[in-house]
């Protein structure tokens, strides 16, 4: 049983999430065009800065904010989706008409970046409670769908 491209790229996003240094939520993303990987990303502190895992604490988490209450000024992490888009930009790779696979539905800030980067579709695994993000993507004409990778296929390998 051969896995679909959607399954392969979502599994890659899940694998990227394992690199995350966020103490609250591990997220991974993969940017794809014509079934070719353009860039990858995971959430963590900016390059050349200390990660929360190194510091041993999360200021945002310590402040008592709940999931979905976006307080970016307290968080050291760059989100996986943004890191993915930034990696493509850093290396001169166009994200126009690409597909972004993410382990979680993107937040509002990431959705704005996704829209402006020209991503045509977002495929995600786990939902995230953010109506503004969903409305912005819909208004901009970005196709959105949720999938669940076939983990049973992985067990056979």
């Amino acid at each position: 049983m051969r896995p679909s491209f959607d399954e392969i790229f979502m599994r890659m996003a899940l694998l990227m999430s394992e690199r995350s240094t966020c103490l609250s939520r591990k997220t991974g993303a993969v940017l794809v065009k014509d079934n070719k990987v353009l860039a990858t990303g995971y959430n963590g502190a900016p390059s050349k800065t200390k990660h929360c895992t190194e510091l041993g604490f999360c200021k945002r988490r310590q402040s008592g904010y709940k999931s979905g209450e976006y307080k970016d000024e307290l968080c050291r992490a760059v989100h996986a989706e943004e890191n993915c888009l930034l990696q493509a930009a850093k290396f001169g790779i166009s994200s126009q008409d690409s597909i972004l696979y993410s382990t979680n539905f993107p937040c509002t800030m990431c959705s704005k970046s996704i829209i402006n980067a020209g991503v045509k579709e977002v495929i995600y695994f786990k939902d995230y409670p953010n109506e503004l993000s969903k409305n912005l993507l819909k208004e901009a004409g970005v196709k959105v769908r949720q999938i669940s990778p076939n983990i049973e296929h992985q067990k056979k390998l």
Side-chain angles (χ1 to χ4, degrees):
M1 195 162 97
R2 191 172 178 204
S4 69
F5 280 114
D6 280 348
E7 285 183 273
I8 292 292
F9 297 133
M10 186 57 71
R11 285 192 213 160
M12 289 177 73
L14 288 162
L15 185 61
M16 288 307 300
S17 74
E18 294 180 27
R19 289 280 307 154
S20 172
T21 57
C22 180
L23 298 174
S24 294
R25 180 187 313 265
K26 301 203 177 297
T27 305
V30 178
L31 189 67
V32 174
K33 187 170 183 180
D34 298 326
N35 292 326
K36 306 290 185 270
V37 174
L38 303 178
T40 61
Y42 55 88
N43 57 333
S47 299
K48 302 175 187 173
T49 67
K50 291 186 178 179
H51 300 283
C52 293
T53 54
E54 293 173 281
L55 296 172
F57 69 91
C58 171
K59 189 172 180 181
R60 183 183 180 281
R61 189 190 238 178
Q62 286 179 337
S63 298
Y65 289 103
K66 295 178 184 140
S67 182
E69 292 178 355
Y70 191 72
K71 298 294 179 194
D72 190 46
E73 66 276 5
L74 296 177
C75 183
R76 296 181 70 82
V78 179
H79 289 186
E81 301 90 338
E82 289 178 307
N83 266 329
C84 196
L85 295 171
L86 289 168
Q87 184 185 77
K90 183 176 182 177
F91 294 105
I93 299 167
S94 173
S95 55
Q96 186 66 43
D97 297 323
S98 62
I99 298 171
L100 183 81
Y101 290 82
S102 181
T103 57
N104 290 21
F105 190 86
C107 72
T108 301
M109 296 302 292
C110 288
S111 289
K112 291 181 211 179
S113 295
I114 287 165
I115 292 164
N116 281 354
V119 174
K120 69 177 182 179
E121 183 174 11
V122 173
I123 300 172
Y124 68 98
F125 177 40
K126 294 180 182 176
D127 206 8
Y128 184 76
N130 191 318
E131 288 307 309
L132 178 56
S133 181
K134 290 175 182 177
N135 291 338
L136 286 170
L137 291 167
K138 183 177 181 179
E139 182 180 341
V142 177
K143 184 177 175 183
V144 176
R145 62 189 168 101
Q146 185 175 19
I147 66 166
S148 180
N150 183 352
I151 304 302
E152 287 304 310
H153 185 276
Q154 280 183 298
K155 291 178 184 175
K156 293 177 185 175
L157 299 178

